[in-house]
């Protein structure tokens, strides 16, 4: 009869049914198990010791625990990954996942409520108290400078590298000839057997515009549905940089010198009421045109053939600077995103405009379901299929599992001759050899 092992209260020890104990220490340790004499008389176990009668023998084994190596890969494996899964498509009939665990959100809310019941003000640090963070002001300037380079570079590359967009769904393709992958989810896709209806794309298909309301005082009165037309809509990225310390003519922002005070969720001291300047900026002002994608195809001409690789490399480097800078700013400054649609609001609280038309908007009276935003919601990557050979045959549905994806800006710069950062290569699956259509059934 074999010795049974049962788990004890301690995860690092196992107790044998006959009284022996096997101690496990991850990843490698020794174990001492007490085994009765019938087992010791077995010919296989005789090498460990001979015994007679009902006596027990203590035998030392070498135990290993490999769960740590499976669940916690080494740093080298995390950095040099071969392939990663393609980005999942979020269902429309479900709210987006919270970037911060819901348990942490409720714990913070309970702590604030407890302080409010005790009459203790909520401790606030910049920029939560309305003051600027001095070390982030250069970061905001660098983000806007890099953003202008991205807009100019993408506009010039679109004269050389064509972009196709589906007129029925949100699919975008970068390359000479559009693909034949049958994954269209448009209203009339069944009539076309899920083939896409391709039209000529624009810069808004590569850099998806995400706008938000420009606020003179983010801690002032909220935007309500009746007053929504009194505020300008500008790119959310630009609005975040304005609140972080960048001054743009025509788009003023209040710079506080005295912090605000809050008791729970209520602002008890705003530092007085300050009226915004009377001169407001029109949407087509020259100061905002360089940060917007409006009519960029006309503002930037086609580059020379020798200049294309340099423009592509400069654009991809500026794109990475924008993403790194946004990540730094969003760690301090609050940006809200709707959990159902693509609306973004820069400020401590979301607005009250009833413009949400997504899942169950009737239950919310058209109001947005605000939650903390992530970088991909302020600057959507818009993943497209990666084309290994732009001059080769078009992509087909039968070989779909062998293709990779990349952000539209990255794929555009890659086809223009830029060197792509290593972090995008696992998703692009550059190490996978795409078989011929006749060899598909032979591939693993």
């Amino acid at each position: 009869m074999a010795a049974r092992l049962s788990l004890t209260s301690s995860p690092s020890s196992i107790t044998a049914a006959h009284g022996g104990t096997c101690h496990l220490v991850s990843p490698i340790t020794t174990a001492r198990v007490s085994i009765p004499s019938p087992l010791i008389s077995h010919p296989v176990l005789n090498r460990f010791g001979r015994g007679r009668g009902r006596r027990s023998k203590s035998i030392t084994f070498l135990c290993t625990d490999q769960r740590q190596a499976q669940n916690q890969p080494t740093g080298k494996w995390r950095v040099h990954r071969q392939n990663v899964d393609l980005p999942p498509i979020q269902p429309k009939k479900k709210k987006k996942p919270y970037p911060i665990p819901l348990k942490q959100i409720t714990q913070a809310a309970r702590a604030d409520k407890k302080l409010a019941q005790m009459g203790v003000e909520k401790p606030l640090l910049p920029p939560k108290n309305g003051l600027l963070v001095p070390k982030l002001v250069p970061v905001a300037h660098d983000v806007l400078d890099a953003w202008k380079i991205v807009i100019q570079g993408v506009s010039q590359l679109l004269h050389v590298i064509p972009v196709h967009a589906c007129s029925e769904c949100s699919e975008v393709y970068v390359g000479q000839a559009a693909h034949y992958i049958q994954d269209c989810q448009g209203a009339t896709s069944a009539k076309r057997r899920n083939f896409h209806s391709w039209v000529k794309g624009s810069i808004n298909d590569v850099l998806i515009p995400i706008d938000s309301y420009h606020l003179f005082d983010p801690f002032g009165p909220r935007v309500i549905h009746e007053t929504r037309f009194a505020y300008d809509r500008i790119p959310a990225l630009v609005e975040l940089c304005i609140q972080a310390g960048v001054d743009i003519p025509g788009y003023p922002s209040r710079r506080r010198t005295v912090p605000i005070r809050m008791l729970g969720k209520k602002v008890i001291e705003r530092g007085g009421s300050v009226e915004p300047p009377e001169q407001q900026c029109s949407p087509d002002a020259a100061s905002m045109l360089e940060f917007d994608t409006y009519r960029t195809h006309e503002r930037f001409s086609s580059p020379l053939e020798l200049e294309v690789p340099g423009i592509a490399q400069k654009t991809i480097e500026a794109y990475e600077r924008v993403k790194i800078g946004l990540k730094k700013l969003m760690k301090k400054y609050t940006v809200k995103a709707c959990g159902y649609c693509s609306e973004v609001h820069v400020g401590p609280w979301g607005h009250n405009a009833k413009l949400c038309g997504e899942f169950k908007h009737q239950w919310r009276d058209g109001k947005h379901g605000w939650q903390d935003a992530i970088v991909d919601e302020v600057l959507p990557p818009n993943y497209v299929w990666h084309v290994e050979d732009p001059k080769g045959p078009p992509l087909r549905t039968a070989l779909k599992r062998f293709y990779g994806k990349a952000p539209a800006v990255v794929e555009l710069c890659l086809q223009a001759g830029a060197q792509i950062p290593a972090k995008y290569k696992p998703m692009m699956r550059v190490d996978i050899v795409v078989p011929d259509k006749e060899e598909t059934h032979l591939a693993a």
Side-chain angles (χ1 to χ4, degrees):
M1 183 179 71
R4 294 182 302 165
L5 300 179
S6 60
L7 292 175
T8 62
S9 59
S10 175
S12 61
S13 63
I14 299 178
T15 304
H18 295 279
T21 302
C22 173
H23 296 279
L24 297 180
V25 179
S26 178
I28 299 176
T29 185
T30 59
R32 183 171 292 275
V33 182
S34 179
I35 300 179
S37 58
L39 286 181
I40 300 178
S41 62
H42 195 275
V44 177
L45 298 178
N46 275 341
R47 70 183 67 179
F48 298 104
R50 297 183 181 272
R52 297 178 181 273
R54 302 298 300 174
R55 290 179 300 173
S56 306
K57 285 287 183 178
S58 295
I59 306 172
T60 302
F61 294 96
L62 183 66
C63 299
T64 61
D65 187 9
Q66 298 180 355
R67 290 175 296 178
Q68 182 181 8
Q70 295 176 0
N71 299 335
Q72 298 180 2
T74 60
K76 182 178 180 180
W77 174 256
R78 287 195 298 265
V79 174
H80 302 282
R81 295 175 296 179
Q82 184 179 11
N83 294 305
V84 297
D85 295 333
L86 301 181
I89 300 177
Q90 298 294 339
K92 293 184 178 181
K93 294 185 178 181
K94 190 177 180 181
K95 191 176 182 181
K96 302 174 188 175
Y98 288 98
I100 301 176
L102 187 61
K103 184 177 181 180
Q104 295 183 12
I105 298 176
T106 55
Q107 288 177 352
R110 290 171 185 169
D112 294 342
K113 184 178 179 181
K114 186 175 182 180
L115 290 177
Q117 292 175 349
M118 297 169 55
V120 180
E121 294 184 10
K122 184 178 179 180
L124 298 174
L125 297 175
K128 306 296 184 182
N129 58 3
L131 303 181
L132 293 178
V133 182
K135 65 178 182 180
L136 291 181
V137 175
V139 176
H141 282 275
D142 183 68
V143 168
L144 280 189
D145 294 339
W147 179 242
K148 291 189 291 185
I149 297 175
V150 171
I151 292 177
Q152 180 179 355
V154 171
S155 303
Q156 291 179 320
L157 294 178
L158 287 178
H159 290 283
V160 182
I161 308 296
V163 173
H164 306 271
C166 182
S167 60
E168 297 291 335
C169 67
S170 60
E171 181 75 7
V172 176
Y173 180 78
V174 179
Q176 298 295 334
H179 67 71
Y180 294 157
I181 299 178
Q182 299 170 264
D183 59 352
C184 182
Q185 302 295 329
T188 62
S189 60
K191 299 179 180 179
R192 293 175 277 107
R193 295 184 300 166
N194 295 105
F195 283 102
H196 293 280
S197 177
W198 297 112
V199 296
K200 184 179 180 180
S202 65
I203 188 175
N204 289 338
D205 296 313
V206 179
L207 300 175
I208 299 179
I210 301 295
D211 296 337
S212 66
Y213 291 106
H214 169 63
L215 303 177
F216 172 73
D217 186 5
F219 294 89
R222 289 192 184 185
V223 179
I224 60 176
H225 191 73
E226 291 74 16
T227 62
R228 65 186 186 278
F229 295 113
Y231 300 89
D232 290 332
R233 298 276 292 181
I234 63 176
L237 182 148
V238 180
E239 174 63 17
L240 176 60
C241 293
I242 291 176
Q243 294 188 17
V246 178
D247 295 325
I248 298 179
Y251 292 88
S253 181
R254 182 177 179 180
R255 308 301 183 194
R256 280 185 166 83
T257 56
V258 179
I260 66 170
R261 297 163 55 196
M262 293 185 64
L263 185 62
K265 294 184 179 180
K266 184 178 180 181
V267 179
I268 59 178
E269 179 59 41
R270 286 191 173 91
S273 178
V274 178
E275 294 294 331
E278 296 181 359
Q279 296 181 356
Q280 295 294 330
C281 183
S282 58
D284 57 347
S287 60
M288 187 55 61
L289 271 182
E290 57 183 353
F291 305 114
D292 202 353
T293 58
Y294 178 70
R295 304 185 73 172
T296 55
H297 192 76
E298 301 176 1
R299 288 191 281 138
F300 302 103
S301 59
S302 177
L304 299 177
E305 184 177 357
L306 297 177
E307 298 176 351
V308 172
I311 294 176
Q313 187 64 36
K314 189 177 179 181
T315 302
I316 191 66
E317 292 174 357
Y319 181 73
E320 290 302 306
R321 284 167 51 196
V322 171
K323 293 190 66 175
I324 295 174
L326 274 180
K327 189 175 181 180
K328 292 180 181 179
L329 293 176
M330 293 178 65
K331 284 183 178 180
K332 292 291 184 179
Y333 290 87
T334 305
V335 181
K336 297 294 184 179
C338 180
Y340 301 94
C341 67
S342 59
E343 181 71 9
V344 170
H345 183 79
V346 183
W349 310 285
H351 61 74
N352 290 334
K354 305 175 182 179
L355 301 174
C356 187
E358 296 299 329
F359 180 59
K360 293 185 179 180
H361 64 92
Q362 301 92 342
W363 295 13
R364 292 173 275 111
D365 194 21
K367 294 183 179 180
H368 296 283
W370 297 113
Q371 61 187 39
D372 291 327
I374 59 177
V375 176
D376 287 348
E377 290 174 323
V378 179
L379 185 65
N382 193 16
Y383 290 99
V384 299
W385 291 106
H386 168 59
V387 184
E388 187 68 25
D389 184 10
K391 297 182 180 179
L395 309 184
R396 297 186 178 276
T397 308
L399 304 175
K400 180 180 177 180
R401 62 194 180 104
F402 299 100
Y403 302 139
K405 283 191 173 184
V409 178
V410 176
E411 181 66 21
L412 181 67
C413 296
L414 172 64
Q415 296 190 21
Q419 298 293 329
I420 300 304
K423 67 177 183 179
Y424 296 110
K425 293 182 179 180
M427 187 178 295
M428 296 166 67
R429 299 180 177 178
V430 294
D431 60 336
I432 294 181
V433 178
V434 180
D436 295 335
K437 188 176 181 180
E438 293 77 11
E439 301 174 345
T440 307
H441 65 284
L442 300 176

